[in-house]
Amino acid sequence: MMRFIVRRLLQLIPTLLGLSILLFLWLHRLPGGPETAILGERATPASRAAIRKSMGLDDPLIVQYGRFLKQLLRGDLGNSLNEKRPVLDLFLERFPGTIELTVTAMIIAIGLGIPLGYLAAKRRATWLDHLSVGASLAAVCTPIFFLGYLIKALFAVNLGWFPTFGRQDTTIDATRVTGFYVLDGIMTQEWDAALDAMHHLVLPGLTLASVPLAIIVRMTRASVLEVLGEDYVRTAEAKGLTERRIRGRHVLRNAMLPVVTVIGLLTGGLLSGAVLTETVFAFTGIGQFAAQAIDNRDYPVMMGFILIIAVVYVLVNLIVDISYSLIDPRVRVR
Amino acid sequence: MALLNVEDLTVVFGGKDRADVRAVDGVSFEVRAGEVIGLVGESGCGKSVTSLALMGLLPPKGNKVTGKAIFDDGVNLLSTDQRTLRDMRGREIAMIFQDPLSSLNPVVPIGVQVTEVLARHRGMTGERARKEAEALLDRVGIPDPRRRLKEYPHQLSGGMRQRALIAMAVACRPRLLIADEPTTALDVTIQAQILELLKELVHQDGTAMIMITHDLGVVAGLCDWINVLYAGRVVETASRHSLFAQPTHPYTHGLLASIPRLDSVRGDRLNPIPGSVRDLLPWVEGCAFAPRCERVLESCVEGPPALVGGAHAYRCVNPFGADS
Ligand SMILES: Nc1ncnc2c1ncn2[C@@H]1O[C@H](COP(=O)(O)OP(=O)(O)OP(=O)(O)O)[C@@H](O)[C@H]1O
Ligand SMILES: [Mg+2]
């Protein structure tokens, strides 16, 4: 098992290297070159030349790439053009919010999606099945910002059950430890702050969860249906095992294999969903930050965001592969 | 007294937009304690459906089961509730299936698949269950059982997998074992070993067994009593001795002729019955076998033949032996 993980980690190196080359080329080929990215479009030719020189933009590409890679490895993503501060710091400040949001969304999507998908398969062709299939189709088809506004208008503005924006009520003076508001509240035992932070997470979490939830329901349903027809489930029935045993050990365990893969892909994709969700709910996180960066053409920040998305994808895929091999012994041998 | 008394078992598959299929059509037989009986017939004659109906394992929808199957003078397996059945399955009645690879859960170690039966019906857990599982694998002839317990199905050979499934089936010393073509998916040499093993196990434990097969050769050395099925009905039922000595129904004759013999010349074609089960007549119109039968008479298609004859009964108006 350890060897499997190490091997997978080593395989990540070429992936990440390839990614860094793409990013580098992207920056290099920006209209007007990197100097425009830094100075803006109305810079004078003289200042352009100066910055080209100071940044070594006239060096051979390979040398520039080497320098770029060295900076990346040091965690140096450059300075934000807008805020004149290191991009990495800006992201680190906003990361906890996004992590809280995506984790909430995934808990909702997995926690509801798998049981619903299982039930839909078990009660195939009943109203429950039709409802969940229909609803998940609707969820996939609805643009996420539209759904976000809808949810906000209904539950926050009209009914007033939830806050309309932000991560924490401004009247609450909470102590900050980690930047994860829920965690902070629990650690400092400021329960009202923790609860309030959770309260703020519900609607954006639900919005962000909609697409993954729908896909997980459908995947689980299809997968469970297939497994229910397998001979080994019939064997388990023939042994007189309880329904619970059969469900957990024989049906779900096998049915989860394709679902795990999909969950991995969806988790990677959540960051792009977070851009819209965080914007709708004025939720401070890297998604909202990236959206602003796109508005302002803040290239270093955009680059940082792309890098983060890529790294998250790669890591999540690693986790998927590992959990897959934990569930399915046949993968380990290969 | 019979351990299992099946009376007029009928299974009809049907749905809103399908024609009804009478997969099993009024089958009756009995199994006495410790006895081995055979259900023999070609593909599609309703053998598996019969066994699944007895186990209560038919799909919950799309079929209708009627008749009686009284187990041990008590419960009717066909009408009792799933809870009772669940308690009986694996403990009183166990089953072995045709394809050992697909019948084992690929992602669960063999050991767990054995111990879960012990936990469910014999309340064994932990080390005790593991020891018992090891003994069971040993009993069904799996070498190095301690190591095998930790392995997964894909690491075992076909014969070993079927042995493991047999170990699960006999784990609670059931009183009835249903084996649905347990050797069809295996190599010929392995087939003989598995049959020998089953014979030994049921003999030692005094377990009754229903051996389902399309091969009369399989039942020849194993069964005390044989029922030959055709298109969902019993067409001949007799003790092994009587059936092989005086096969009466033309279909049984055909089956016997199609057993490969060791002394047959290589390249000699087996003697299969011409036609296939598809060319059957619905029983209501006459003998379903008539379209393929070499002894067919006009009276064969004038209504369904009844099961006649004493202990050795057959469903035929022009049986072998009638004209000699
Ligand atoms: N779920 C089902 N729905 C509809 N028809 C079915 C179903 N299961 C079985 N049948 C039909 O019942 C008949 C008997 O099938 P069964 O599986 O019992 O045959 P078998 O004797 O076991 O054959 P084999 O030797 O191929 O295993 C077949 O004609 C089959 O098409
Ligand atoms: Mg069958």
Side-chain angles (χ1 to χ4, degrees):
Chain A
M1 196 64 217
M2 224 30 231
R3 281 182 51 186
F4 176 82
I5 295 174
V6 170
R7 209 172 63 216
R8 293 305 317 229
L9 279 172
L10 289 178
Q11 281 170 358
L12 292 184
I13 294 174
T15 315
L16 289 174
L17 221 55
L19 181 82
S20 71
I21 294 176
L22 282 179
L23 263 183
F24 170 73
L25 290 177
W26 177 66
L27 268 187
H28 204 82
R29 299 302 308 253
L30 282 174
E35 68 268 27
T36 314
I38 292 171
L39 293 173
E41 271 153 29
R42 266 168 301 185
T44 60
S47 56
R48 276 173 192 273
I51 203 142
R52 282 191 79 85
K53 196 156 169 39
S54 77
M55 285 177 69
L57 289 178
D58 299 318
D59 292 344
L61 261 190
I62 184 85
V63 176
Q64 292 190 42
Y65 173 66
R67 208 159 40 219
F68 170 79
L69 196 62
K70 217 159 103 195
Q71 283 182 351
L72 275 192
L73 288 179
R74 265 193 270 123
D76 178 2
L77 302 178
N79 282 343
S80 157
L81 305 181
N82 235 22
E83 311 215 5
K84 315 282 185 241
R85 287 177 54 208
V87 169
L88 190 67
D89 292 355
L90 292 167
F91 271 113
L92 286 179
E93 283 162 19
R94 289 162 173 81
F95 220 16
T98 300
I99 292 180
E100 276 188 343
L101 177 61
T102 46
V103 167
T104 307
M106 262 353 243
I107 289 176
I108 295 174
I110 296 173
L112 279 178
I114 290 177
L116 263 178
Y118 178 82
L119 278 180
K122 265 292 219 200
R123 315 249 164 92
R124 195 186 174 176
T126 61
W127 64 268
L128 182 89
D129 185 21
H130 296 311
L131 184 74
S132 59
V133 169
S136 55
L137 189 67
V140 174
C141 295
T142 314
I144 186 166
F145 66 89
F146 178 64
L147 186 73
Y149 278 120
L150 219 62
I151 289 183
K152 186 163 116 172
L154 182 62
F155 294 105
V157 180
N158 265 345
L159 294 170
W161 292 351
F162 295 95
T164 48
F165 68 92
R167 293 180 59 194
Q168 187 101 74
D169 201 292
T170 40
T171 57
I172 290 180
D173 180 26
T175 320
R176 295 283 160 246
V177 190
T178 59
F180 294 94
Y181 286 9
V182 177
L183 195 67
D184 285 355
I186 293 170
M187 280 167 66
T188 56
Q189 308 207 342
E190 292 167 349
W191 304 117
D192 56 332
L195 275 178
D196 177 68
M198 288 190 212
H199 204 198
H200 277 81
L201 277 168
V202 174
L203 294 188
L206 215 57
T207 306
L208 188 55
S210 64
V211 172
L213 171 63
I215 294 175
I216 290 173
V217 168
R218 301 196 67 140
M219 269 313 286
T220 307
R221 175 181 180 273
S223 183
V224 166
L225 271 181
E226 191 173 320
V227 170
L228 282 176
E230 293 284 351
D231 286 352
Y232 52 79
V233 175
R234 192 182 55 189
T235 307
E237 292 281 3
K239 291 188 207 167
L241 301 184
T242 56
E243 277 192 275
R244 230 181 107 179
R245 244 305 123 68
I246 295 175
R247 188 196 318 142
R249 185 176 284 161
H250 296 283
V251 178
L252 279 180
R253 207 163 161 187
N254 282 285
M256 275 312 99
L257 289 171
V259 180
V260 164
T261 308
V262 167
I263 289 177
L265 291 172
L266 292 171
T267 310
L270 276 186
L271 286 186
S272 4
V275 173
L276 297 168
T277 309
E278 289 178 3
T279 306
V280 171
F281 289 95
F283 190 96
T284 319
I286 64 169
Q288 189 199 32
F289 186 45
Q292 291 162 357
I294 295 169
D295 276 348
N296 300 329
R297 300 243 211 145
D298 195 338
Y299 287 110
V301 173
M302 277 148 78
M303 185 190 80
F305 188 63
I306 294 174
L307 203 65
I308 288 174
I309 288 193
V311 170
V312 167
Y313 250 107
V314 164
L315 285 182
V316 165
N317 264 307
L318 177 72
I319 296 171
V320 164
D321 282 350
I322 292 172
S323 24
Y324 204 102
S325 75
L326 282 178
I327 307 180
D328 191 344
R330 290 166 297 183
V331 180
R332 260 172 269 163
V333 182
R334 269 188 237 127
Chain B
M1 205 48 236
L3 175 68
L4 175 69
N5 203 333
V6 181
E7 220 172 284
D8 208 20
L9 170 64
T10 301
V11 182
V12 182
F13 289 101
K16 258 180 269 165
D17 32 41
R18 296 187 289 171
D20 284 1
V21 179
R22 293 177 84 82
V24 181
D25 196 357
V27 165
S28 303
F29 61 88
E30 61 170 43
V31 188
R32 281 177 233 158
E35 185 184 52
V36 179
I37 74 145
L39 288 186
V40 188
E42 283 171 302
S43 190
C45 69
K47 306 180 299 282
S48 297
V49 173
T50 303
S51 55
L52 292 176
L54 294 176
M55 293 289 285
L57 290 178
L58 285 173
K61 278 188 202 155
N63 59 70
K64 195 165 177 300
V65 182
T66 51
K68 272 196 277 188
I70 309 296
F71 186 77
D72 200 23
D73 284 329
V75 276
N76 179 357
L77 298 176
L78 305 183
S79 63
T80 189
D81 56 312
Q82 274 292 328
R83 261 185 85 133
T84 316
L85 274 181
R86 231 177 247 288
D87 284 339
M88 293 178 71
R89 285 201 294 255
R91 189 166 58 92
E92 306 252 30
I93 312 178
M95 185 158 177
I96 308 164
F97 299 95
Q98 178 172 340
D99 182 354
L101 180 58
S102 66
S103 296
L104 287 165
N105 188 334
V107 304
V108 175
I110 299 290
V112 176
Q113 298 190 54
V114 179
T115 50
E116 65 184 358
V117 199
L118 299 171
R120 168 73 170 96
H121 297 299
R122 290 168 68 182
M124 287 183 168
T125 49
E127 186 59 12
R128 236 179 100 223
R130 202 197 56 76
K131 278 248 162 62
E132 176 69 13
E134 202 179 315
L136 278 164
L137 289 200
D138 190 52
R139 183 161 184 235
V140 297
I142 295 182
D144 199 0
R146 182 184 291 254
R147 183 165 62 89
R148 294 297 186 186
L149 284 178
K150 293 193 208 98
E151 293 190 342
Y152 291 88
H154 70 273
Q155 293 167 290
L156 270 61
S157 69
M160 287 302 150
R161 287 180 202 133
Q162 193 60 292
R163 284 174 195 268
L165 278 157
I166 293 173
M168 294 165 206
V170 300
C172 304
R173 308 207 169 209
R175 282 192 292 166
L176 177 64
L177 183 62
I178 303 178
D180 187 356
E181 311 212 34
T183 60
T184 311
L186 304 174
D187 287 350
V188 187
T189 45
I190 314 278
Q191 285 188 9
Q193 292 172 13
I194 295 290
L195 288 177
E196 200 49 44
L197 171 69
L198 282 172
K199 194 171 165 179
E200 211 177 284
L201 290 174
V202 294
H203 184 72
Q204 283 168 4
D205 292 354
T207 303
M209 177 159 74
I210 301 178
M211 170 58 80
I212 292 173
T213 173
H214 56 258
D215 183 356
L216 267 176
V218 166
V219 295
L222 195 64
C223 300
D224 305 308
W225 194 271
I226 296 163
N227 298 297
V228 181
L229 260 65
Y230 191 80
R233 290 202 186 186
V234 175
V235 293
E236 184 158 6
T237 170
S239 70
R240 167 179 55 175
H241 176 77
S242 180
L243 189 91
F244 281 94
Q246 289 176 308
T248 306
H249 197 285
Y251 178 61
T252 315
H253 248 268
L255 281 182
L256 272 173
S258 68
I259 300 178
R261 299 174 63 100
L262 284 179
D263 56 2
S264 65
V265 187
R266 263 189 79 158
D268 244 14
R269 292 254 307 134
L270 294 178
N271 206 347
I273 312 166
S276 83
V277 216
R278 306 247 166 276
D279 323 316
L280 54 77
L281 204 64
W283 278 110
V284 280
E285 288 173 31
C287 175
F289 186 59
R292 298 169 68 190
C293 184
E294 56 184 64
R295 296 172 62 86
V296 62
L297 302 176
E298 260 168 44
S299 56
C300 289
V301 291
E302 284 167 2
L307 198 63
V308 294
H312 183 156
Y314 49 90
R315 195 185 288 282
C316 184
V317 293
N318 186 21
F320 275 91
D323 42 11
S324 57

